Amino acid sequence: MRIAILGFGSVGQGIARAILAKNLNITVTGLADSRSGVIDAGGIDLAAALARKGNGDPCGTPGVSPADVVAKADYDVLVEVTPTNVETAEPALGHIRGALRRHKHVVTSNKGPIALAYPELRSLAEANGVVLKYEATVCGAIPLIHAIKEGLAGNAISRLYGVFNGTCNYILTRMAAEGLTYEQALAEARELGYAEADPTYDVEGIDAAIKLVILANTILNMQTTLDDVERTGITLLTPDALRLAEDQDCTIRLIGEIVPKAGVLRVSPRIVGKAHPLVVEGTLNAVTVETDLAGDLTFIGKGAGSMETASAVIGDLLYIHDRYVQGS
Amino acid sequence: MRIAILGFGSVGQGIARAILAKNLNITVTGLADSRSGVIDAGGIDLAAALARKGNGDPCGTPGVSPADVVAKADYDVLVEVTPTNVETAEPALGHIRGALRRHKHVVTSNKGPIALAYPELRSLAEANGVVLKYEATVCGAIPLIHAIKEGLAGNAISRLYGVFNGTCNYILTRMAAEGLTYEQALAEARELGYAEADPTYDVEGIDAAIKLVILANTILNMQTTLDDVERTGITLLTPDALRLAEDQDCTIRLIGEIVPKAGVLRVSPRIVGKAHPLVVEGTLNAVTVETDLAGDLTFIGKGAGSMETASAVIGDLLYIHDRYVQGS
């Protein structure tokens, strides 16, 4: 199977490392980062490209753009792993459209295009006889979308809720365990690389809200936008609030919740009993799905990280390989 | 899609109820319990069959055997949901072989044939151009096999461990919470229908061991039998042992564990930190999978129950429908 990779940051490099380490029968024929690109129908030398990035150099030739790779490389699947833009989803959205129009399958970890334009992209994929997969957009390493769409096929989902943001979960875990203030815990998260210099996207619940929109629109037959999500972040939480919860054998977690029948999408700090499966520590993610046949199911795992996200992308690639491009 | 159902106890009836309640595009053309059977290419009246069972009557005609249904009914998929026999796997094993030889797909919830004869059955299915699915044999409602084989495709699994038996988990939960003795907690589990009159199969870890053998042989490329599982049950545990664990913010769970590289399969009571995602309450099951790319993932859900098991069977049926018999 031949793939082209757009984006050669931590996720793209993780995918390249996994392809090198494992016998996955995948050849990379196109590759682009924000500054350069390579097109080689014979197969790009990934070790050399990783070495160039390691030296701070572009992964390929400065004259070759991501759009060139999308339009000209010879691939079965476009792997789109550039950073998320939640305002316009560009430039990823245009690249995904371009690949689908060329009858190429697409696997993406990019939340923007899936949150903003899934119905259009899905129709475009169907019209061109290809598939669009996006497991990596929600909860990183947890094969949540796969488990719900396929493993729980036949079930109706009455409610889906969980911990969708590892940064917030780390901050709340540390506030509860050590009595830290929000600011102290945030500073610690920054030092460890769990929080960005501007943490707004995480701590205000925007990241969790985008994941809810993706789940609602892609597996719960809803039509929602980010504006439909009631959203409260964790910035105003005090050590006292956490202590009060602890006194009742509870704790506080930033919970994202969807109730499809009621049309509710909500992100807010909630008091949860400590024995609840959702109460995970550190940067973990955890999601509970309430179903009619299977009862309640909880999935726990790492929500971020380059190899974890690469794992979800590779799961999607092998899914496409087994069903659509076997033998090529 | 046309299916034949062998076994019309709680799981078979759960499947019938789900087919009636949902628009699944499934017609049942063959049905047999231990005393009777029906073959009807036009589609069996499931509501009437359920009503007969509800009245204590056989589901069909006394002269029609399960073997008749396997050999003569007109179906795409055989659904084999009779009780498990861990000694010989019969009569289920013979019925599954018969269906595969007729080029029929098979979905089963029966641990016996999968634990004892998976390599043979898989070869037979491949030789006949059909598939054999068995999600319901391990952890009921949790789509564990699906999530590992498909969602985590590309990952290497270094260790898999968890709570595979709801009866033991209920007993241990109650001993820890109330200071009950093993005998008291077992009596309570029996009253609530969580334990059989003869609880040996559950409390001695045999049920958990069979599930390990299934996982080892079907998704971890091992070749094991029940004799390869080191096994200790929970019958000798005392309230004191649980109290000691509690004093260290731990508890005791019956843990089944596979370490593929070391060739280890083991079921034994283990001390686990209370914050560990595996420490679930009551009759829940929970499994942690350690992988190279995705890190550790934990799956929690109901391990038994008629609708929960039916959910897994229906997930497998829809998988086969979408990939192999769409349109028929």
Side-chain angles (χ1 to χ4, degrees), chain B residues 285-304:
Chain B
N285 281 194
V287 179
T288 296
V289 186
E290 291 184 3
T291 71
D292 58 344
L293 302 179
D296 293 4
L297 291 139
T298 300
F299 303 89
I300 301 169
K302 290 184 183 166

Side-chain angles (χ1 to χ4, degrees), chain B:
Chain B
M1 187 166 70
R2 297 150 306 162
I3 69 170
I5 303 175
L6 297 193
F8 209 50
S10 70
V11 176
Q13 292 177 49
I15 294 164
R17 275 193 206 96
I19 291 172
L20 285 174
K22 289 166 179 266
N23 184 16
L24 296 177
N25 197 20
I26 290 173
T27 305
V28 181
T29 58
L31 174 64
D33 58 19
S34 55
R35 299 180 289 164
S36 70
V38 204
I39 296 175
D40 185 343
I44 293 164
D45 182 340
L46 292 176
L50 285 166
R52 286 194 292 276
K53 288 298 270 192
N55 292 333
D57 296 326
C59 72
T61 312
V64 181
S65 72
D68 291 334
V69 170
V70 172
K72 297 174 191 162
D74 182 22
Y75 56 91
D76 301 303
V77 189
L78 180 73
V79 174
E80 205 291 322
V81 291
T82 63
T84 291
N85 168 341
V86 276
E87 308 293 326
T88 67
E90 294 294 0
L93 182 54
H95 296 321
I96 291 174
R97 284 192 190 118
L100 295 175
R101 288 197 189 108
R102 284 190 70 199
H103 310 286
K104 308 300 185 189
H105 305 286
V106 173
V107 174
T108 187
S109 63
N110 194 317
K111 298 176 187 67
I114 304 300
L116 294 180
Y118 182 75
E120 177 217 318
L121 294 175
R122 193 190 157 153
S123 298
L124 190 59
E126 279 174 8
N128 287 283
V130 290
V131 295
L132 166 66
K133 301 277 289 175
Y134 54 94
E135 180 69 72
T137 59
V138 179
C139 296
I142 308 175
L144 182 69
I145 290 162
H146 199 90
I148 294 175
K149 275 178 89 160
E150 312 242 338
L152 298 175
N155 278 272
I157 292 172
S158 50
R159 190 163 162 247
L160 185 155
Y161 61 109
V163 170
F164 289 92
N165 184 274
T167 306
C168 291
N169 208 63
Y170 180 83
I171 290 170
L172 295 173
T173 302
R174 295 297 293 159
M175 288 176 71
E178 307 290 341
L180 302 182
T181 64
Y182 165 74
E183 289 75 15
Q184 289 169 326
L186 172 61
E188 195 182 279
R190 274 206 190 105
E191 266 171 44
L192 292 166
Y194 298 152
E196 310 277 336
D198 175 3
T200 311
Y201 183 72
D202 291 317
V203 299
E204 295 294 356
I206 302 166
D207 173 65
I210 292 169
K211 290 168 182 166
L212 294 187
V213 168
I214 291 174
L215 291 170
N217 293 3
T218 69
I219 60 176
L220 297 171
N221 293 317
M222 299 171 76
Q223 290 186 303
T224 66
T225 70
L226 202 46
D227 289 338
D228 297 321
V229 186
E230 294 170 42
R231 183 167 54 77
T232 310
I234 62 166
T235 56
L236 299 178
L237 280 177
T238 62
D240 274 352
L242 278 150
R243 209 171 303 127
L244 277 170
E246 295 277 323
D247 288 347
Q248 299 166 59
D249 218 21
C250 292
T251 191
I252 295 176
R253 286 292 183 262
L254 184 71
I255 302 292
E257 179 183 26
I258 308 175
V259 188
K261 273 211 177 148
V264 168
L265 288 88
R266 182 191 295 144
V267 176
S268 59
R270 304 266 277 272
I271 295 173
V272 191
K274 278 190 163 181
H276 195 288
L278 277 188
V279 179
V280 291
E281 306 278 307
T283 60
L284 287 172
N285 281 194
V287 179
T288 296
V289 186
E290 291 184 3
T291 71
D292 58 344
L293 302 179
D296 293 4
L297 291 139
T298 300
F299 303 89
I300 301 169
K302 290 184 183 166
S306 69
M307 289 318 282
E308 290 79 5
T309 309
S311 167
V313 170
I314 285 166
D316 281 349
L317 281 173
L318 295 178
Y319 179 100
I320 291 172
H321 178 265
D322 289 352
R323 283 167 190 73
Y324 302 101
V325 271
Q326 207 153 29
S328 74

Side-chain angles (χ1 to χ4, degrees), chain A residues 219-249:
Chain A
I219 60 176
L220 297 171
N221 293 316
M222 299 170 77
Q223 291 186 301
T224 66
T225 70
L226 203 45
D227 289 338
D228 298 321
V229 186
E230 294 170 43
R231 182 169 53 78
T232 310
I234 62 165
T235 56
L236 300 179
L237 280 176
T238 61
D240 275 351
L242 279 150
R243 210 171 302 129
L244 277 169
E246 295 276 324
D247 288 347
Q248 299 166 59
D249 217 20

